């Protein structure tokens, strides 16, 4: 059986924060959403998706009005298809909403919800603060100006010097 995938979103940083608060991260499951199939209206309200809720109500009203004019099972079939559409795309709508309000995509986690969170946070590294121009990075005490004036460029490996590339000798070298 396949493990569910979760998309991880970090909230926008508050003024003065150097890294996002892990307690405010949002894990959005990828795939079918059962609550959105059975009670999409309550699911939309619970997820605070106000715009989508209003659009859903407007579409439901239009389908009901057309159904009364045409007659037959059209309104019920159309509403059932709308519920199925919400179940299939509900979590994609959640991801869209998170991106729209400024949340940043920071990764993907696999497993049941608790396992996915443990796997994600065991590998996640908070971003390092970026130094301000003219100031040394945090934790570096130095009397020299920052950035250093002369920094030697790293030496590049080349076939002429006989350097080894990976596990293999450079081309033209001895076996």
């Amino acid at each position: 059986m396949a493990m569910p995938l979760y998309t991880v979103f970090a909230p926008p940083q508050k003024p003065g924060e150097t890294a996002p608060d892990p307690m405010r991260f949002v894990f959005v499951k990828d795939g079918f959403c059962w609550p959105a199939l059975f009670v999409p209206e309550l699911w939309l309200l619970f997820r605070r998706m106000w715009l989508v809720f209003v659009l859903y109500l407007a579409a439901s009203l239009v389908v009901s009005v057309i159904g009364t004019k045409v007659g037959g099972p059209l309104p019920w079939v159309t509403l059932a298809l709308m519920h199925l559409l919400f179940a299939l795309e509900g979590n994609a709508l959640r991801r869209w909403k998170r991106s729209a309000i400024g949340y940043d995509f920071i990764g993907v986690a696999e497993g049941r919800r608790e396992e996915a969170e443990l796997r994600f946070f065991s590998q996640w590294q908070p971003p390092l603060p970026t130094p301000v121009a003219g100031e040394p990075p945090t934790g570096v005490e130095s009397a020299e100006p920052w950035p250093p004036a002369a920094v030697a460029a790293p030496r590049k490996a080349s076939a002429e010097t006989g350097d080894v590339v990976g596990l293999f000798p450079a081309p033209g070298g001895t076996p």
Side-chain angles (χ1 to χ4, degrees), residues 83-167:
H83 284 221
L84 182 62
L85 177 65
F86 268 98
L88 291 171
E89 297 298 326
N91 290 323
L93 288 169
R94 285 185 64 202
R95 284 190 291 276
W96 168 77
K97 180 193 175 205
R98 291 293 164 195
S99 296
I101 61 175
Y103 278 61
D104 295 323
F105 167 78
I106 57 169
V108 176
E110 180 185 23
R112 292 187 190 98
R113 176 63 186 250
E114 294 81 18
E115 294 171 1
E117 288 180 3
L118 286 173
R119 287 179 184 171
F120 175 78
F121 285 118
S122 68
Q123 297 174 357
W124 178 70
Q125 296 287 327
L128 296 174
T130 55
V132 178
E135 295 180 12
T138 307
V140 175
E141 301 298 330
S142 173
E144 299 176 19
W146 185 262
V151 177
R155 187 175 69 90
K156 297 194 183 217
S158 68
E160 291 81 23
T161 61
D163 291 335
V164 174
V165 178
L167 299 175

Side-chain angles (χ1 to χ4, degrees), residues 23-81:
M23 294 300 289
R24 295 177 45 220
F25 282 8
V26 177
F27 286 72
V28 179
K29 183 181 170 196
D30 188 32
F32 198 80
C33 182
W34 288 102
L37 175 66
F38 296 114
V39 285
E41 302 86 2
L42 294 177
W43 182 81
L44 287 168
L45 291 174
F46 177 74
R47 295 294 178 189
R48 306 179 91 178
M49 299 173 67
W50 313 121
L51 176 63
V52 179
F53 178 71
V54 169
L55 292 174
Y56 175 83
L57 288 179
S60 298
L61 182 65
V62 167
V63 167
S64 297
V65 168
I66 291 174
T68 57
K69 300 289 183 193
V70 174
L74 178 67
W76 298 108
V77 171
T78 306
L79 289 176
L81 290 175

